[in-house]
Amino acid sequence: MFKVVDLETLVDEQLALAYEASSGRHSVTLKGDHHEDLRQTLIAIAGGNALHEHDSPGEATLQVLRGEITFTVGEGQMALGAGDLLVIPPARHGVEAVTDCALLLTVATRGER
């Protein structure tokens, strides 16, 4: 009936997979797809790696579950750490992992149908 996710264990698993990946990152979708109104994805990035500049996914938030990141939009940068929640601006942006980090990306997908 209830779906409970142990985020601490999942973060550990995803970070281990990130270290094995040539990109230095790994992700898993926790909820949703293109047929639902909400998608949540856990993204783990090994320190020193990045999600290079990309388009905004639409209405979305990014919550730092572990570690520290630098979020870049255009020429602006913002340091974020565990416990921070960012409303992602509707602009191209990138993420650099200052330390090993885990992020929870929440996207409203209703416009993708």
Side-chain angles (χ1 to χ4, degrees):
M1 174 183 251
F2 297 106
K3 180 180 179 185
V4 177
V5 176
D6 177 350
L7 288 174
E8 286 294 321
T9 300
L10 189 59
V11 165
D12 291 340
E13 292 169 357
Q14 292 302 304
L15 277 170
L17 292 169
Y19 269 99
E20 294 175 8
S22 60
S23 65
R25 61 183 187 266
H26 200 270
S27 64
V28 61
T29 299
L30 304 177
K31 189 226 180 299
D33 57 27
H34 295 289
H35 302 289
E36 297 185 46
D37 292 336
L38 180 73
R39 182 173 55 241
Q40 290 187 300
T41 305
L42 182 110
I43 305 166
I45 310 172
N49 290 282
L51 287 172
H52 298 289
E53 188 176 278
H54 55 279
D55 290 327
S56 176
E59 191 174 2
T61 61
L62 188 68
Q63 181 178 2
V64 182
L65 300 174
R66 185 184 294 175
E68 297 176 9
I69 66 168
T70 300
F71 187 89
T72 304
V73 177
E75 297 299 316
Q77 292 186 338
M78 176 180 295
L80 299 169
D84 289 336
L85 176 71
L86 172 73
V87 175
I88 298 176
R92 288 186 61 81
H93 60 274
V95 174
E96 181 182 341
V98 177
T99 64
D100 289 353
C101 68
L103 313 170
L104 182 63
L105 174 66
T106 302
V107 179
T109 59
R110 60 185 167 273
E112 296 180 8
R113 292 183 193 172

